[in-house]
Amino acid sequence: MRDQEERGEGGVRLPLHGITVLDFSQYLAGPSAALRLGDLGAAVIKVERPDGGDACRRLALADLHFDGNSALFHAINRGKASVTADLKDAGDLARVEALIGRADVLIHNFRPGIMDRIGLGWDRVQAINPRLIYAGVSGYGADGPWQGRPGQDLLVQALSGIARLSGDGGGPPVPAGLAITDMMAGAQLAQGVLALLVRRGTTGAGGRVDVSLLEAAIDLQFEHLSVWLNQGGPMPARSDVANANLYLGAPYGIYPTADGHIALAMAPVDRLGVLLGCEALAGFPIGEWFARRDTIKQVLRDHLATGTAAHWLSLLEPAGIWAAPVLDWPALAAEPAFAALHPTQAVRAPDGATLTLTRCPIRIDGQVLTNGRAAPRLGADRDALLPPAGAPA
């Protein structure tokens, strides 16, 4: 579809060169899986409704738009192509089926049963192209009483228990500030696609992979949930002070200082007392670091508030204590460590305008992967990529 898929902008031959992905999905989970496959060299074609296309085109954050669509749409769909098709129209459906016959992967995030009603369910698509990898992402899976619920990230965080993990004890549930279940489900879908592509290379047969936001959210909690599944009982309590992990004792958490905040991970409380000059911490033996974590954390909190973040870190980091300043985006972007990763890239619209986005976090053969094409305009590639009516599947 373009040279970038073969070699990448850095000249490395990309591992998914020659693979064609049809992306029928909207919003974040499905498109993020297709995005990652595209970053790895696949040619990704969005199949969109003629009347507006992917709803994410209009989902603007902070009213930021680029090339007629939301910047968020470009962040999750950069480098893709777009064809429009009315899947309720027999002619368009036949043309899409012909495209499916030439594709390697199909990704969708319709609610369970919708693809079957359209005429593009697993059985039909497998008959069209037995080598196709059929990848679906839903909110809550194909079975069970929740399958009809809206598959939206915040709702899944609420239903899955994730929102009960953050925030201090006694406070309200706190969701993650990112669409973590969407992005995790997308990553798991991409993993499943890659596994089936490997199997196809051995057997020649396609396959089906399904994930859901709820299953992704449950898996994301495997550490803590595994403990509870074996111990039972009520929900474990959040720490009342500097809560950051249900099952870890003091000092694990984030603490205010005189001019900011610092994070403290696992560390011996008595050694912290010596390093920080806080004699009160010497009175807590190791057996109490969990049982009396709130008392210990309160002592730490009050002591750390008397000095600056830089002062405390100058004592802790040379001693090998796992500690770090809590940065905001401006502070992060000013760090040499940020620049050293080259974590952003510019994408270019057809009119030459540019937008700065994050890049693929994967390196292949040591090469950073970037893709300078903005997300496609709606239907921009229909004539070039959608087979003419009557083309064989």
Side-chain angles (χ1 to χ4, degrees):
M1 195 168 85
R2 59 185 186 275
D3 291 342
Q4 197 273 338
E5 275 101 20
E6 180 175 4
R7 291 286 175 184
E9 295 185 351
V12 171
R13 184 175 181 85
L14 297 178
L16 295 187
H17 170 63
I19 298 296
T20 298
V21 177
L22 304 183
D23 181 10
F24 285 74
S25 59
Q26 300 189 82
Y27 291 115
L28 295 181
S32 71
L35 174 73
R36 192 60 70 235
L37 299 175
D39 286 336
L40 294 172
V44 181
I45 304 168
K46 289 188 70 67
V47 181
E48 303 185 74
R49 304 187 315 268
D51 56 339
D54 184 342
C56 193
R57 289 181 178 273
R58 300 175 295 281
L59 186 60
L61 302 181
D63 201 28
L64 181 60
H65 294 79
F66 178 76
D67 196 38
N69 296 290
S70 73
L72 173 62
F73 177 77
H74 287 274
I76 210 76
N77 291 286
R78 52 177 169 72
K80 300 179 184 179
S82 171
V83 300
T84 53
D86 180 358
L87 298 180
K88 296 180 181 179
D89 177 84
D92 270 7
L93 183 59
R95 297 178 73 184
V96 168
E97 288 181 341
L99 187 60
I100 290 171
R102 295 166 170 81
D104 299 283
V105 180
L106 184 156
I107 295 175
H108 77 89
N109 65 345
F110 291 103
R111 289 186 181 183
I114 298 296
M115 286 293 274
D116 289 299
R117 290 201 288 273
I118 290 172
L120 295 178
W122 164 239
D123 292 338
R124 171 58 181 155
V125 167
Q126 189 180 38
I128 295 171
N129 183 352
R131 289 176 53 82
L132 188 82
I133 309 303
Y134 190 82
V137 56
S138 65
Y140 307 92
D143 303 303
W146 286 359
Q147 63 175 287
R149 281 182 176 271
Q152 195 275 332
D153 183 87
L154 179 61
L155 306 185
V156 174
Q157 288 195 48
L159 288 165
S160 67
I162 286 178
R164 291 283 184 181
L165 304 180
S166 299
D168 291 340
V174 178
L178 304 170
I180 57 172
T181 69
D182 270 318
M183 304 312 294
M184 182 58 68
Q188 292 173 345
L189 192 69
Q191 291 171 20
V193 167
L194 293 173
L196 287 175
L197 284 172
V198 171
R199 188 182 72 178
R200 191 183 73 173
T202 302
T203 67
R208 176 174 178 172
V209 54
D210 295 282
V211 303
S212 72
L213 303 190
L214 182 59
E215 287 166 298
I218 291 171
D219 181 69
L220 193 58
Q221 302 173 83
F222 74 93
E223 270 188 296
H224 297 0
L225 194 53
S226 295
V227 174
W228 179 82
L229 288 170
N230 287 279
Q231 290 186 340
M235 181 76 178
R238 297 174 293 175
S239 178
D240 288 336
V241 181
N243 174 65
N245 190 295
L246 296 179
Y247 288 116
L248 290 181
Y252 201 90
I254 289 177
Y255 298 86
T257 69
D259 64 348
H261 292 77
I262 62 171
L264 287 173
M266 289 80 73
V269 171
D270 51 356
R271 185 159 182 246
L272 275 180
V274 173
L275 293 169
L276 298 173
C278 182
E279 296 180 2
L281 292 179
F284 297 99
I286 188 171
E288 296 182 354
W289 293 354
F290 180 81
R292 300 184 65 189
R293 63 181 178 180
D294 283 329
T295 301
I296 297 170
K297 286 182 173 185
Q298 185 170 348
V299 171
L300 258 176
R301 181 189 62 192
D302 295 344
H303 185 75
L304 291 171
T306 65
T308 66
H311 170 67
W312 299 127
L313 292 170
S314 72
L315 302 175
L316 297 173
E317 290 181 327
I321 298 296
W322 292 356
V326 178
L327 304 180
D328 58 16
W329 292 332
L332 171 63
E335 286 286 338
F338 182 84
L341 292 174
H342 306 288
T344 63
Q345 64 174 40
V347 297
R348 187 176 301 274
D351 63 4
T354 60
L355 179 71
T356 300
L357 300 173
T358 57
R359 63 159 175 85
C360 175
I362 301 169
R363 298 179 188 232
I364 297 295
D365 297 330
Q367 179 65 52
V368 168
L369 304 184
T370 59
N371 186 331
R373 288 187 59 200
R377 293 174 177 176
L378 182 62
D381 307 282
R382 177 182 165 94
D383 292 341
L385 296 176
L386 201 60

